[in-house]
Amino acid sequence: MKLGASVGMRDDPAGLTRHVRRLEAAGVDYLWAGEAYTADAVSTLGFLAAVTSTAQIGSSILPIYTRTPSLLAMTAVGLDKLSQGRFVLGLGASGPQVIEGFHGVPYDSPVRRTREIVDICHKVWAREERLVHEGASYQVPLAPGEGTGLGKPLKIMDHPLRPRIPIHIASLGPRSVEMTAELAEGWLPLYFWPDRAGDVWGDALAAGRARRAPDLPALEVVAGGPLAIGDGVEGLRDHYRPTLALYFGGMGARDRNFYNDVLRGYGYEREAAEIQDAYLAGRKDEAAGLVPRDLVDGLSLVGDAGFVKDRVAAYRDAGVTVLNVTPVGPNGVRDIETLAGWLG
């Protein structure tokens, strides 16, 4: 099991440099930068490529609707060169409220679009021939009668450092998870509860793996939670509640919240409805208090050494290969050093 940590853009570049270098020195194998509707992730990833030397750097995630497939492929080529072969292209569909509400782009056919984007990226990176893709979501070049009619097949001018850059996909729905297990090098499931993950995603993962190409490596599974090791730190688990309430209750419309669907899949039908009702009515503190106690505990790595070791074992037994952690305790990054020592 490898270690990962999420980092975000900071106003102090020198401080960010010190932070990520300490994470790298502590044993972190993957540094992730995400993108919602804040500063873009590519800027941070380019910075990470320049100030680190050993950790993989990955996007978690670049939304598929906000860039063309070819630009995603080009971005991956640039970041892979800057990092000397350490880049992981993390993709995800985000959700209709962000994509349509902030970017003004229709949110349609996320599974089909993701599949076509993966295919286009592979064609661009292989550089075996000029790019031609005729799909339901993307046509490259544009189909006759579209645009000016002057488009022609092209090949990326630069030579990628690697002909196949790893792609990780953030997916939660069964069709999307099945596609991820079939096509991608890695899976980025948010709020993966190892104790019940098999109930939600086991069938989809098995179906996708059954169609997985033999030349693909085993699927990396990236999941984890907040980290604090020590006596008397258990109360820090509840600091996670507002974020969980936001996602389970408010990250999406009432009838289209993928995280709320996951909570229902974990067996909390009533709690999922109550959290959503409270959050959407503006009662955010109430929603946070409604998040089930055993879920809060199960998603965290916050407690004494015995508790954290047990949670690490649960993640490992559930198939997690990259344990993604966020230090929240008084020891800070020292807890990552401790964890790295346990993992060997």
Side-chain angles (χ1 to χ4, degrees):
M1 181 182 278
K2 297 178 282 291
L3 277 176
S6 297
V7 296
M9 181 178 288
R10 297 186 179 184
D11 294 335
D12 175 15
L16 178 57
T17 299
R18 290 191 298 270
H19 177 61
V20 297
R21 284 178 174 169
R22 188 173 179 195
L23 287 172
E24 193 175 48
V28 169
D29 303 287
Y30 287 82
L31 294 167
W32 302 97
E35 183 176 291
Y37 42 100
T38 179
D40 77 294
V42 176
S43 299
T44 299
L45 289 162
F47 186 89
L48 295 179
V51 301
T52 61
S53 58
T54 59
Q56 303 287 303
I57 60 170
S59 53
S60 65
I61 59 173
L62 296 184
I64 62 171
Y65 294 93
T66 60
R67 297 167 174 86
T68 68
S70 296
L71 178 57
L72 287 167
M74 294 163 60
T75 299
V77 168
L79 289 169
D80 204 46
K81 285 200 168 188
L82 286 173
S83 63
Q84 287 295 288
R86 294 184 288 123
F87 180 64
V88 175
L89 177 59
L91 301 174
S94 186
Q97 287 191 323
V98 173
I99 298 304
E100 296 183 358
F102 191 67
H103 295 285
V105 178
Y107 187 92
D108 67 330
S109 307
V111 176
R112 185 181 70 201
R113 283 185 179 275
T114 303
R115 182 179 288 274
E116 291 190 34
I117 288 169
V118 171
D119 181 53
I120 292 170
C121 284
H122 289 160
K123 289 177 179 177
V124 170
W125 299 333
R127 214 175 169 275
E128 293 172 350
E129 55 189 22
R130 295 174 185 268
L131 177 62
V132 175
H133 177 86
E134 299 177 359
S137 293
Y138 299 103
Q139 299 82 43
V140 186
L142 277 176
E146 298 289 334
T148 65
L150 299 176
K152 65 177 184 179
L154 297 170
K155 183 187 295 187
I156 187 171
M157 296 170 63
D158 209 348
H159 288 260
L161 191 63
R162 293 183 286 175
R164 184 158 181 146
I165 296 167
I167 294 177
H168 286 35
I169 298 175
S171 53
L172 294 175
R175 289 179 57 236
S176 185
V177 170
E178 184 175 333
M179 175 203 61
T180 300
E182 176 190 354
L183 299 179
E185 280 81 5
W187 178 37
L188 298 161
L190 192 58
Y191 303 129
F192 180 98
W193 187 13
D195 308 75
R196 299 192 188 180
D199 298 336
V200 180
W201 297 296
D203 290 344
L205 288 169
R209 283 174 168 140
R211 295 195 303 274
R212 192 173 180 84
D215 60 333
L216 274 175
L219 183 72
E220 296 274 19
V221 179
V222 184
L227 171 69
I229 305 171
D231 295 329
V233 299
E234 293 80 9
L236 294 174
R237 297 175 197 167
D238 286 329
H239 292 184
Y240 205 23
R241 284 182 176 274
T243 300
L244 294 173
L246 164 64
Y247 277 81
F248 293 144
M251 194 62 76
R254 182 178 295 278
D255 60 348
R256 198 163 188 183
N257 181 326
F258 308 124
Y259 307 99
N260 192 270
D261 292 342
V262 170
L263 184 58
R264 293 174 187 272
Y266 286 152
Y268 295 110
E269 290 275 352
R270 177 179 56 82
E271 291 86 348
E274 291 176 347
I275 292 168
Q276 191 172 61
D277 287 344
Y279 201 95
L280 294 180
R283 303 192 305 273
K284 297 180 181 180
D285 290 343
E286 178 184 337
L290 290 169
V291 179
R293 172 83 267 164
D294 53 351
L295 177 62
V296 173
D297 294 344
L299 289 175
S300 79
L301 296 102
V302 175
D304 60 29
F307 175 86
V308 176
K309 287 180 178 179
D310 285 345
R311 298 315 301 155
V312 171
Y315 277 99
R316 181 187 285 113
D317 291 344
V320 171
T321 60
V322 179
L323 187 64
N324 220 40
V325 297
T326 303
V328 297
N331 299 324
V333 176
R334 283 179 293 168
D335 283 338
I336 291 183
E337 295 171 345
T338 298
L339 187 55
W342 293 345
L343 296 178

